[in-house]
Amino acid sequence: MSQTDLDLPSATRTRNVFQTLEIDLRLLGMVGAFVVLCLGFDLATGGLFLTPRNIFYLTVQTVSVAIMATGMVFVIVTRHIDLSVGALLATCSAVMAMTQTQVLPHWLGLGFDHPLTPWLTILVGLLAGTLIGAFHGFLIGYLTIPAFIVTLGGLLVWRNTAWYLTSGKTIGPLDATFQKFGGINGTLGSTGSWVVGLVMTAAALFGLYSARRNKVKHGFAVKPLWAEYVLGGFAASVILGFVATLNAYHVPLRKLQSQFKARGETMPEGFTQAYGIPISVLVLIALAIAMTILARRTRLGRYIFATGGNPDAAELSGINTRMLTVKIFALMGGLCALSAVVASARLTNHSNDIGTLDELRVIAAAVIGGTALAGGVGTIYGAILGALIMQSLQSGMAMVGVDAPLQNIVVGAVLVLAVLIDILYRKRTGSA
């Protein structure tokens, strides 16, 4: 840091440091709010909130909403809304439950826990979700029915379609391999988690190196090396710290004994086994990377943000905004189906109330994550962080004994507050 920087007021120096690191102040504020939230609940629960066990379950519970929130970013960016995501999740869950318990055994003769069952089930679910989403997009894009009306109708239609598909019954237990996508029944263990953590750390560091090299290659300004080291160290610390935390949560002794007994073996004295990273979290990470690449590096992503920024100009420039709407809602439908895989696998069955109020949680996650309701602005990582904040808020309130109705009141109030903060922030920064 130069002598000139030292002569500046502390607030100005701090702002200059953040500018040098190229850190989004809004994102930093969200991270700060999340940290304060976690510390507050940890104090209120006597240190129970930040235990490895609770962090593991908090992570698993966040995945379903976070998956849909990544798609909701594109929907809101293009100045639409989707109120049917929870109901569509329920329909996709019902379709997959009936597929693996009724259709495949009776039509193809595949027995329970057949190796092909989970993959055919997921394929059917993704196809159903994508087609329903595309149908919504057609009604909105080509028939010009407002998205609010189409998806509000979809909320009623698909929630009750799910009920009729299963005759109002809970369907389960689901296929054992299928259940691995839910989290608790499918984890990597200690060794596998460390391998994934090291690979992710190496990928993050290589990404920073590649970005710096590309900037130098094309003559753009780059951050000082100390800033690169700080960002790289922070990324590595977060990734490896997360892996270490999940590995610190061990499988209960009784469950291990039952597993050994089922195999006809005797559990060795002092044997322990860590859960590690859930498979559902790996799915979310892979999806986050894919959606970020889609948003930043593809023509479709550029069209989405251009249309959200100025729909009339986008159409005049040759973008087929009607077909774009179909693609966005088809993608949203597919993500609802993927979320249904995770949600039903975590519960080990399909139930009638699956996905209830997820519409609120998904929209809130996207908005809290910085997606502007006016369109044109939004990030995938912001939506995932928003989903984590929402789930932390609900889990923390449940742990301190807040009633469910009051939890929903708080979540609704937080959503309104997040929109207000977003409006004030954009006015202050001139990005409104």
Side-chain angles (χ1 to χ4, degrees):
M1 186 176 293
S2 66
Q3 181 62 40
T4 303
D5 290 333
L6 293 175
D7 293 336
L8 295 173
S10 60
T12 304
R13 289 200 304 269
T14 301
R15 186 163 56 250
N16 288 342
V17 169
F18 289 143
Q19 290 174 349
T20 302
L21 292 171
E22 297 181 5
I23 295 176
D24 183 355
L25 292 180
R26 195 182 192 284
L27 174 64
L28 187 65
M30 290 171 53
V31 173
F34 175 62
V35 171
V36 171
L37 185 71
C38 291
L39 292 177
F41 279 130
D42 195 54
L43 289 174
T45 58
L48 296 177
F49 188 80
L50 291 179
T51 59
R53 179 183 185 276
N54 191 58
I55 291 174
F56 177 88
Y57 282 103
L58 181 64
T59 303
V60 169
Q61 292 164 0
T62 301
V63 173
S64 177
V65 169
I67 288 173
M68 292 188 288
T70 63
M72 188 62 75
V73 170
F74 288 169
V75 172
I76 297 178
V77 160
T78 51
R79 306 188 181 189
H80 295 299
I81 200 72
D82 193 339
L83 302 176
S84 67
V85 291
L88 183 50
L89 180 153
T91 291
C92 292
S93 175
V95 167
M96 289 187 287
M98 297 303 292
T99 296
Q100 61 185 281
T101 60
Q102 300 294 327
V103 176
L104 293 180
H106 294 162
W107 291 10
L108 299 181
L110 300 182
F112 193 67
D113 286 344
H114 189 279
L116 290 178
T117 296
W119 310 111
L120 291 176
T121 297
I122 293 172
L123 180 62
V124 170
L126 291 174
L127 182 61
T130 302
L131 289 176
I132 293 172
F135 176 63
H136 287 175
F138 172 77
L139 295 177
I140 297 164
Y142 285 92
L143 301 186
T144 65
I145 305 174
F148 180 87
I149 298 300
V150 170
T151 57
L152 180 61
L155 184 153
L156 300 173
V157 170
W158 303 119
R159 173 62 62 182
N160 291 283
T161 297
W163 191 93
Y164 276 109
L165 285 173
T166 61
S167 300
K169 300 176 182 177
T170 296
I171 307 298
L174 302 178
D175 178 87
T177 302
F178 184 87
Q179 290 184 28
K180 292 183 183 298
F181 290 95
I184 189 67
N185 293 313
T187 59
L188 299 183
S190 179
T191 303
S193 297
W194 280 121
V195 170
V196 170
L198 291 173
V199 170
M200 290 173 58
T201 301
L205 297 177
F206 180 75
L208 291 173
Y209 168 75
S210 297
R212 181 181 180 86
R213 184 181 59 183
N214 289 334
K215 287 183 178 180
V216 171
K217 181 179 178 180
H218 294 92
F220 293 108
V222 296
K223 294 187 288 289
L225 282 175
W226 69 263
E228 300 284 9
Y229 292 145
V230 168
L231 291 176
F234 178 76
S237 299
V238 170
I239 294 171
L240 297 180
F242 176 67
V243 173
T245 300
L246 295 185
N247 279 341
Y249 178 42
H250 292 90
V251 180
L253 182 61
R254 289 184 179 180
K255 186 173 183 179
L256 286 175
Q257 291 173 339
S258 298
Q259 291 174 353
F260 274 90
K261 185 177 181 180
R263 297 195 298 264
E265 303 173 0
T266 302
M267 189 176 79
E269 186 71 25
F271 179 83
T272 61
Q273 181 178 325
Y275 276 111
I277 300 176
I279 292 176
S280 60
V281 173
L282 287 183
V283 171
L284 176 60
I285 293 171
L287 176 66
I289 295 172
M291 292 289 281
T292 301
I293 292 173
L294 176 63
R296 295 184 174 182
R297 300 295 180 89
T298 67
R299 180 183 297 178
L300 177 61
R302 291 192 292 271
Y303 283 0
I304 289 171
F305 283 88
T307 301
N310 192 327
D312 294 332
E315 192 164 2
L316 289 173
S317 66
I319 298 176
N320 188 344
T321 56
R322 294 184 176 185
M323 179 54 68
L324 182 66
T325 300
V326 175
K327 291 178 180 178
I328 291 169
F329 277 89
L331 176 61
M332 185 73 251
L335 292 176
C336 287
L338 182 60
S339 184
V341 173
V342 172
S344 59
R346 179 166 61 87
L347 298 173
T348 71
N349 59 63
H350 164 79
S351 60
N352 289 318
D353 62 346
I354 191 170
T356 301
L357 288 183
D358 273 3
E359 298 84 8
L360 168 65
R361 299 185 183 98
V362 171
I363 294 172
V367 173
I368 291 173
T371 304
L373 291 174
V377 178
T379 60
I380 301 301
Y381 60 81
I384 294 175
L385 180 56
L388 185 58
I389 291 174
M390 291 292 298
Q391 187 58 52
S392 299
L393 183 62
Q394 287 198 295
S395 296
M397 287 190 293
M399 291 182 70
V400 298
V402 177
D403 294 335
L406 184 55
Q407 291 182 33
N408 291 329
I409 290 173
V410 172
V411 170
V414 168
L415 174 59
V416 175
L417 180 62
V419 174
L420 176 61
I421 292 174
D422 180 72
I423 292 172
L424 296 176
Y425 173 80
R426 298 189 190 284
K427 284 183 177 179
R428 185 174 180 178
T429 58
S431 58

